[in-house]
Amino acid sequence: MTGEQLKALRERRGLTQTQMAAFVNELTGRRYDKQRLSKWETGKEALPREVMGRLLLLDLERPESPLPRRGTTVAVGLQKGGTAKTATSINLAFILARAGNRVLLVDADPQGNATVHVGVPQTDVVALTEAGKVLYHALMGKTPLDTVIRPTSVDGLDVVPSSIALASADTELPGNLTNAQTALAEMLDGVRERYDVIVIDCAPNLGAVTINALTAADYVLVPCQAEPHAILGVSAFLDTVAKIQRRLNPRLEVLGILPTMVNPRQTQDRSSLDDIQRLWGDSRRVFPPVPRATIYAQAAGANVITLDADIGAPGVESYAAIAAALLTAMGRLQETVDAA
């Protein structure tokens, strides 16, 4: 958030600098004054990351609306591993929930990392798998989705947990000729009206479950590590998305490409960012890159959501930009529905 953006936010709220400083103090528990706020707005001092993170969330807040919830669905995918799909999914889900949306996170990766990171202990994952209450069982029609959905510690955020059992679905789904590619969409149809947004964390492959996720989605977000092999993977993945659009899901749109784990001091990372812009900058939205930062590894090691641990973590600007783009797209989608 730049000083100009901070000033614009203050003016939208009709606050003086003194009033805005008091408001920031209420948000953060700090003691900033008008002079400090003025320095932030003019760029003489950098806006503290904690303040910036909280204000970005504030700017995304969902106003009270009589409109029904639609369960707009975004799949986060790329067939290459190690591109921060799970970190992107959970932080996006978190920021949307904190902005006042009802969010369902669907862990569609047999590794189950998203499940653990939103607070489901590994021991519980084992127990849920044995009890038939993970995504695999709902997807294969063995149990209702309602029995699988679990709340998390984040207000407004629920999760459909996953486990290694889901790996079997990639071989079992193709044998189901009635809904081999639409099982996930049909399953989610029963709960869409409860949620504003459904975020699907896809596996790093193009198996049957990932195809189901793309068939169920309104939008797809593509995290891409700033390195050549990941960029090649994006091209192949976008080809698959185009096939899904033609054959199975004509409403699917590419929300954008998110460069991840970027170290701007590295020549290769800067070169890869240039390549991403050159290849897709004119035809796709390329979101601000998420920098490489140790807090992501620390959060993963502690099985927590990075932004829940530190709302000012590097990359919060990127996730806020994605959330804003998605909420804007949801507004256009609602206008289309209303006009129909």
Side-chain angles (χ1 to χ4, degrees), residues 68-71 101-104 145-147 149 156 158 188-198:
R69 301 185 191 276
R70 294 193 65 257
N101 297 279
R102 287 288 304 170
V103 182
L104 178 65
L145 183 59
D146 277 337
T147 68
I149 294 174
D158 294 339
L188 292 175
D189 281 345
V191 300
R192 288 186 192 279
E193 63 185 17
R194 297 189 219 164
Y195 298 97
D196 298 295
V197 185
I198 299 172

Side-chain angles (χ1 to χ4, degrees), residues 52-314:
M52 179 188 65
R54 293 184 183 278
L55 291 178
L56 285 170
L57 275 177
L58 185 71
D59 210 24
L60 288 169
E61 280 188 353
R62 181 181 191 267
E64 290 299 323
S65 171
L67 294 175
R69 301 185 191 276
R70 294 193 65 257
T72 299
T73 303
V74 55
V76 180
L78 185 67
Q79 74 271 27
K80 184 184 182 299
T83 63
K85 286 185 295 296
T86 295
T88 299
S89 298
I90 61 177
N91 284 292
L92 176 60
F94 170 81
I95 207 167
L96 286 165
R98 282 289 303 271
N101 297 279
R102 287 288 304 170
V103 182
L104 178 65
L105 174 65
V106 179
D107 188 349
D109 186 345
Q111 297 177 83
N113 291 331
T115 298
V116 177
H117 287 163
V118 296
V120 182
Q122 192 62 53
T123 52
D124 286 8
V125 173
V126 173
L128 289 168
T129 304
E130 292 175 349
K133 293 185 178 181
V134 291
L135 175 61
Y136 166 76
H137 301 98
L139 188 60
M140 301 307 298
K142 298 181 178 183
T143 191
L145 183 59
D146 277 337
T147 68
V148 174
I149 294 174
R150 292 173 59 91
T152 72
S153 59
V154 178
D155 288 344
L157 176 60
D158 294 339
V159 63
V160 176
S162 184
S163 74
I164 192 62
L166 188 63
S168 300
D170 274 335
T171 55
E172 294 178 23
L173 275 171
N176 185 342
L177 298 180
T178 57
N179 64 347
Q181 296 160 324
T182 61
L184 183 57
E186 293 171 14
M187 183 189 79
L188 292 175
D189 281 345
V191 300
R192 288 186 192 279
E193 63 185 17
R194 297 189 219 164
Y195 298 97
D196 298 295
V197 185
I198 299 172
V199 179
I200 306 176
D201 181 29
C202 295
N205 60 45
L206 291 175
V209 176
T210 300
I211 298 302
N212 262 261
L214 295 173
T215 304
D218 299 293
Y219 301 97
V220 58
L221 173 66
V222 187
C224 175
Q225 187 178 354
E227 57 98 8
H229 292 297
I231 293 172
L232 289 173
V234 171
S235 293
F237 187 74
L238 291 176
D239 287 343
T240 298
V241 168
K243 292 175 183 177
I244 297 291
Q245 290 169 322
R246 290 195 303 268
R247 300 173 184 176
L248 295 167
N249 183 6
R251 76 179 185 283
L252 180 63
E253 296 182 27
V254 177
L255 186 65
I257 297 169
L258 174 68
T260 60
M261 295 182 282
V262 175
N263 184 345
R265 290 186 237 174
Q266 296 289 334
T267 302
Q268 179 57 66
D269 287 19
R270 295 197 304 271
S271 177
S272 292
L273 282 178
D274 290 342
D275 287 341
I276 291 170
Q277 285 290 349
R278 177 177 55 81
L279 290 167
W280 298 293
D282 292 336
S283 59
R284 310 283 187 191
R285 183 194 298 263
V286 177
F287 290 105
V290 178
R292 187 182 294 274
T294 56
I295 191 170
Y296 287 93
Q298 292 167 348
N303 293 326
V304 297
I305 302 171
T306 305
L307 293 182
D308 198 15
D310 179 5
I311 193 57

